[in-house]
């Protein structure tokens, strides 16, 4: 009997090629989920469906194109297809050095399955994460190392040691978007063999390189070219702990969504106050 192959985090198909949308693989194991229900799109899943308790399962596959949450990046979502049946993947988490897929339906071990990633969500995450690397690299030049970061449903933040000035925000934004215009290629370096670069807690260590701008270990999915980030906008900053500051920012298609929302809000306010946009603050204070 052939023993199942388990792929370490860091060497998953989604990490080797972030543009893979489908993959055929095999179920290694399937067991009831005993822990707290996972999150879906930033919201907790209820373990109850109407009045009946829902059963959740964690499925391990030989390999996956669905990224498990980690490194500030939420998990991918998608489908596991078994012949004509489609099983929704509600979450993907790390269990030791391996990825487990959370579903509402069990799939028998040894079953050959086809995976499909929610591509719209994946592309958005790649734009935000690659944009964060680029923004952090430029902030480093101002002696502002990234202390932490978080990818939100719309707005992300990078935590830096101090507040930055309005002038610095303008300069950093211009420099980041200049690099996007230059469309620098992105490369991911991995060890020649898994045995050489396996961390006992993080899996196979990967280094993401953006030209000579950035060189950092990272587990996330990234774009192939900086130009695919499209745009980075810093919205402002909030106070963090112990004098730190959290810079709110958007990347890629989120910029268009956000500005469209702002335009709709402004348009409604202009109708309410019978005013043009420039006069809105004054009208609102009257």
């Amino acid at each position: 009997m052939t023993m199942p192959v388990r792929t370490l985090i860091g060497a998953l198909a989604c990490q080797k090629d972030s543009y893979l949308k489908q993959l055929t693989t095999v179920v290694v194991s399937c067991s009831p989920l005993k822990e707290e229900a996972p999150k879906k799109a930033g919201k907790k899943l209820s373990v109850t469906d109407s009045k009946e308790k829902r059963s959740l399962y964690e499925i391990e596959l030989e390999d996956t194109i669905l990224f498990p949450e980690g490194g500030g990046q939420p998990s991918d979502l998608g489908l596991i297809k078994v012949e004509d049946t489609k099983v929704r993947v509600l979450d993907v988490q790390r269990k030791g050095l391996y990825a487990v897929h959370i579903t509402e339906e069990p799939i028998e071990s040894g079953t050959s399955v086809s995976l499909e990633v929610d591509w719209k969500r994946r592309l958005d995450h790649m734009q935000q994460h690659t944009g964060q690397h680029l923004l952090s690299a430029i902030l480093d030049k101002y002696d502002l190392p990234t202390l932490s970061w978080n990818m939100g449903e719309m707005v992300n933040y990078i935590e830096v040691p101090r507040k930055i000035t309005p002038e610095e925000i303008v300069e950093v934004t211009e420099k980041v978007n200049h690099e996007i215009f230059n469309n620098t290629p992105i490369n991911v370096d991995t060890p020649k063999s898994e045995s050489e670069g396996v961390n006992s807690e993080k899996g196979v260590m990967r280094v993401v390189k953006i030209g000579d701008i950035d060189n950092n270990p990272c587990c996330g999915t990234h774009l192939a070219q900086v130009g695919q980030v499209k745009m980075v906008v810093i919205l402002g900053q909030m106070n963090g702990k112990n004098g730190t500051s959290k810079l709110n920012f958007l990347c890629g298609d989120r910029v268009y969504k956000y500005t469209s929302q702002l335009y709709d809000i402004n348009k409604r306010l202009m109708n309410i106050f019978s005013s043009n946009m420039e006069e809105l603050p004054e009208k609102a204070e009257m």
Side-chain angles (χ1 to χ4, degrees):
M1 181 177 178
T2 304
M3 294 296 292
V5 177
R6 303 168 72 201
T7 305
L8 290 169
I9 287 175
L12 300 173
C14 60
Q15 294 169 308
K16 290 181 177 179
D17 184 353
S18 299
Y19 291 82
L20 279 178
K21 298 177 182 178
Q22 296 180 326
L23 178 74
T24 299
T25 185
V26 176
V27 175
V28 172
S29 66
C30 177
S31 58
L33 180 66
K34 298 178 182 179
E35 300 175 0
E36 185 180 17
K39 297 178 181 179
K40 179 185 177 185
K43 298 180 180 179
K44 280 284 185 183
L45 286 172
S46 172
V47 294
T48 58
D49 186 1
S50 298
K51 294 183 179 179
E52 296 183 6
K53 188 174 181 180
R54 292 167 60 193
S55 296
L56 296 176
Y57 300 87
E58 53 181 27
I59 296 174
E60 186 179 345
L61 305 170
E62 287 191 353
D63 202 352
T64 184
I65 53 169
L66 302 184
F67 177 76
E69 180 179 2
Q73 180 175 327
S75 79
D76 283 330
L77 301 178
L79 296 172
I80 301 177
K81 298 180 181 180
V82 186
E83 296 180 347
D84 295 330
T85 302
K86 295 180 180 180
V87 177
R88 287 191 309 135
V89 176
L90 307 177
D91 193 11
V92 189
Q93 289 295 320
R94 295 158 186 257
K95 191 172 185 180
L97 298 181
Y98 302 96
V100 291
H101 306 70
I102 311 303
T103 69
E104 292 179 299
E105 300 175 46
I107 304 175
E108 187 177 350
S109 299
T111 303
S112 179
V113 298
S114 176
L115 283 179
E116 185 177 302
V117 69
D118 179 339
W119 176 247
K120 186 176 180 180
R121 178 180 172 92
R122 158 66 64 76
L123 180 59
D124 171 61
H125 288 180
M126 289 200 292
Q127 287 182 326
Q128 307 313 310
H129 203 159
T130 302
Q132 176 266 314
H133 273 237
L134 185 57
L135 179 54
S136 289
I138 299 301
L139 287 168
D140 280 342
K141 299 180 185 299
Y142 289 77
D143 197 25
L144 289 167
T146 295
L147 305 177
S148 67
W149 91 285
N150 180 72
M151 186 188 299
E153 289 186 53
M154 175 60 82
V155 179
N156 317 301
Y157 75 75
I158 287 177
E159 185 178 14
V160 293
R162 63 167 174 84
K163 276 188 171 294
I164 70 174
T165 66
E167 293 77 18
E168 286 174 325
I169 289 179
V170 172
E171 287 180 13
V172 168
T173 302
E174 288 178 349
K175 289 179 180 179
V176 168
N177 285 290
H178 178 71
E179 294 298 341
I180 292 172
F181 178 80
N182 286 340
N183 198 24
T184 305
I186 299 168
N187 297 298
V188 179
D189 287 351
T190 55
K192 293 181 180 179
S193 66
E194 291 185 3
S195 60
E196 292 180 10
V198 177
N199 181 287
S200 60
E201 295 181 356
K202 298 180 180 180
V204 178
M205 299 302 294
R206 309 158 67 244
V207 177
V208 176
K209 296 182 177 180
I210 305 177
D212 58 0
I213 306 165
D214 186 53
N215 186 344
N216 272 298
C218 183
C219 64
T221 53
H222 286 277
L223 299 166
Q225 300 277 344
V226 169
Q228 293 172 346
V229 175
K230 295 185 178 179
M231 181 180 290
V232 173
V233 174
I234 299 175
L235 300 175
Q237 58 189 321
M238 302 183 301
N239 292 331
K241 295 180 179 179
N242 302 317
T244 64
S245 181
K246 293 181 177 180
L247 301 181
N248 293 323
F249 71 99
L250 304 171
C251 305
D253 294 338
R254 290 193 189 186
V255 176
Y256 307 132
K257 292 177 184 177
Y258 191 79
T259 53
S260 178
Q261 290 175 5
L262 289 182
Y263 176 78
D264 289 341
I265 292 170
N266 278 326
K267 189 175 180 180
R268 289 168 59 191
L269 289 173
M270 285 188 287
N271 288 333
I272 291 171
F273 290 104
S274 299
S275 169
N276 59 40
M277 189 169 66
E278 290 74 15
E279 295 173 343
L280 279 177
E282 183 180 345
K283 291 280 188 178
E285 291 175 353
M286 292 176 63

